[in-house]
Amino acid sequence: MALLSGNAPIPEAGAAIPRRAAEPAPLTLLQWIICGVAALGFAFDLYEMVVLAVVVRPALVAIGGLKPGTSDFNLWVGLLFYVPSMLGGVFGLLGGYLTDLFGRRRVLVFSILLYAFSACAASYSSSLVMFLIFRCATSVGVCVEYVAAIAWLAELFSNPKQRESVLGYTQAAVGAGGLMATGAYYLAVTYAERLTAIHSGHEAWRYAVLGGLLPAIPLILVRPFLPESPVWKEKKSKGVLKRPSMAALFSPTLRRTTLVTTLLAACFYAVPYGVLQQTPHIVPGLPEVRGMAARQVEQTVGRVQSLAELGTITGRLLFPILVLRIASQKRLLRIGLIPGLVVFAWVYFFAATHGLLLLAGGVFMAALFMNGSFSFLWNYLPWVYPTYLRGTGESFAANLGGRVIGASAALLTTQFANVIPAAGAAARMAYAAGIVAVLAYTTALIGSRWLAEPERAQLPD
């Protein structure tokens, strides 16, 4: 893993982004700590997303008394996926603005603490409304944290090769968060009766949700050692840092970039919310699973979701290898989009209704290609916005495009599942997810035609 420090020679303006910079010195201890904090935040971002996917069914049954497959159940599934994401996107957009205004580190630390403690509160929910409220607070923290962390890392590491490696490999920790979520749920299902009671009971989903508290503990210990972004700090101290503005994102030089990245983010976020996260509702309807006891069903759901998270890790690790070898941003993006379209169509129109083994292997490949696209987005965004707009621009694409528009696919899929003609609720959900996946990938492929190529080796001032 090429996590290296130092500064490589800067090519002239207009030159393509170099993929083979000079080899600098190894990372310092502080730089490793910085990467560790960012990776921890990225891991628990996905933890919070995946944990909802695996606990939403038992949570709705336990605190709402809803029956899986009914219209009321599907409505609440859609609401729990979309409303927190939508509010997270709105407040996350504000968080991106605050990141540019008050600094990357301060907003990063606050956001991690927010989602950690709200996750703890969500585990004690006694009603669906209470659960929804605390999930909204968790989502706000997650949405703000990701944007702040990307801007922070991009500005802390000045060497182009090193910056791309750091951004790529720290985001590989996202997959670890998914594995942690599915692992936590599997352990909770298996050993819940041996744990301290939560809300006067031993419901496994509560313990899995409670796990979101963990990132706050190491963060409190290392907080005094974390530096602010030197780029942002220098401009702020000299009084030359412009005030961030949403209107500036639509200036003649940035308008196309803002519109295209927002469209791509909407497509990319539609896939996990509207497709992959619906997989736990499909697994119980497979022939091999229908006759299992309740605990075995939940364990099987956890195993299948774990394979998806292994696909996430694989996709995130493959991307830094590709990004250092492929200069064209359009080509890099399409390497993931074209096979991703084929894989998702096969998984949800065929594998999801024909066998557990086919579905399990399919979601691994689907998650692999999906996460290559996510890595592309977050590596690309810092290159196209100046310092005073970096957090705002990233946040606009990811939060408005991804969390507000893209995440609405969760509602779209669950409502499609109510009307699609198919034998059984699980099959209807699978076909609905397949339709959403094809729409998202096709739109992203069309939108990639207008993707701009960054023109310089260094981040724009």
Side-chain angles (χ1 to χ4, degrees), residues 155 231 235 381-388 390 456-461:
E155 295 171 356
V231 177
K235 288 182 176 292
L381 287 172
W383 290 102
V384 292
Y385 289 106
T387 302
Y388 83 101
R390 189 157 294 127
R456 294 185 293 181
Q458 294 296 96
L459 296 179
D461 290 331

Side-chain angles (χ1 to χ4, degrees), residues 229-430:
S229 159
V231 177
W232 182 91
K233 187 176 181 179
E234 180 183 6
K235 288 182 176 292
K236 185 72 172 179
S237 63
K238 291 181 178 180
V240 297
L241 186 69
K242 297 179 183 178
R243 191 175 185 86
S245 165
M246 294 290 178
L249 298 177
F250 295 92
S251 64
T253 57
L254 291 175
R255 185 185 301 119
R256 187 179 79 169
T257 294
T258 298
L259 293 175
V260 172
T261 54
T262 301
L263 173 67
L264 291 176
C267 295
F268 296 163
Y269 276 83
V271 177
Y273 280 94
V275 185
L276 275 180
Q277 290 195 35
Q278 309 309 322
T279 305
H281 308 304
I282 298 170
V283 173
L286 291 168
E288 304 96 316
V289 184
R290 290 175 195 155
M292 292 182 179
R295 174 175 289 189
Q296 291 176 310
V297 171
E298 298 305 322
Q299 290 172 332
T300 303
V301 168
R303 292 190 191 101
V304 172
Q305 195 66 32
S306 294
L307 282 173
E309 305 320 317
L310 285 173
T312 294
I313 293 177
T314 306
R316 298 278 181 162
L317 288 174
L318 284 176
F319 180 81
I321 297 172
L322 292 174
V323 79
L324 295 174
R325 289 163 173 78
I326 300 174
S328 169
Q329 299 296 297
K330 290 183 181 179
R331 183 183 175 196
L332 184 63
L333 176 59
R334 289 169 181 170
I335 283 176
L337 289 180
I338 294 173
L341 172 60
V342 175
V343 168
F344 270 92
W346 177 81
V347 170
Y348 289 93
F349 288 133
F350 179 78
T353 58
H354 283 76
L356 181 60
L357 185 60
L358 287 175
L359 178 61
V363 296
F364 171 86
M365 294 301 298
L368 185 154
F369 286 110
M370 182 195 74
N371 279 278
S373 299
F374 270 98
S375 290
F376 168 85
L377 179 70
W378 288 108
N379 272 51
Y380 178 80
L381 287 172
W383 290 102
V384 292
Y385 289 106
T387 302
Y388 83 101
L389 278 179
R390 189 157 294 127
T392 306
E394 291 173 3
S395 185
F396 190 91
N399 288 317
L400 180 63
R403 311 277 187 175
V404 176
I405 300 174
S408 65
L411 282 174
L412 187 64
T413 302
T414 53
Q415 295 311 301
F416 272 170
N418 289 331
V419 298
I420 287 178
R428 292 196 300 271
M429 185 67 77

Side-chain angles (χ1 to χ4, degrees), residues 26-182:
L27 285 174
T28 65
L29 176 60
L30 179 58
Q31 288 173 322
W32 278 112
I33 292 174
I34 289 168
C35 291
V37 169
L40 183 68
F42 293 150
F44 275 89
D45 285 350
L46 190 63
Y47 182 100
E48 295 300 345
M49 182 183 292
V50 172
V51 81
L52 179 62
V54 294
V55 308
V56 66
R57 185 164 46 85
L60 289 179
V61 171
I63 59 179
L66 301 179
K67 183 180 179 180
T70 62
S71 58
D72 286 343
F73 178 89
N74 287 341
L75 175 62
W76 268 99
V77 169
L79 290 174
L80 282 167
F81 277 117
Y82 179 60
V83 174
S85 179
M86 182 268 293
L87 290 178
V90 172
F91 283 95
L93 187 58
L94 175 62
Y97 176 84
L98 296 177
T99 297
D100 286 333
L101 195 62
F102 295 115
R104 289 47 166 131
R105 180 190 61 178
R106 184 181 303 174
V107 175
L108 173 73
V109 171
F110 171 78
S111 60
I112 292 178
L113 293 176
L114 172 62
Y115 78 63
F117 287 105
S118 59
C120 175
S123 69
Y124 285 85
S125 298
S126 57
S127 69
L128 292 179
V129 173
M130 183 178 177
F131 188 52
L132 178 60
I133 290 172
F134 285 123
R135 286 297 306 178
C136 288
T138 302
S139 182
V140 169
V142 165
C143 293
V144 173
E145 184 274 335
Y146 214 109
V147 170
I150 292 292
W152 189 54
L153 286 176
E155 295 171 356
L156 281 169
F157 298 91
S158 59
N159 179 269
K161 179 179 178 182
Q162 174 207 33
R163 181 186 299 119
E164 291 191 340
S165 294
V166 165
L167 287 171
Y169 283 114
T170 53
Q171 288 185 79
V174 166
L179 283 177
M180 290 161 62
T182 55

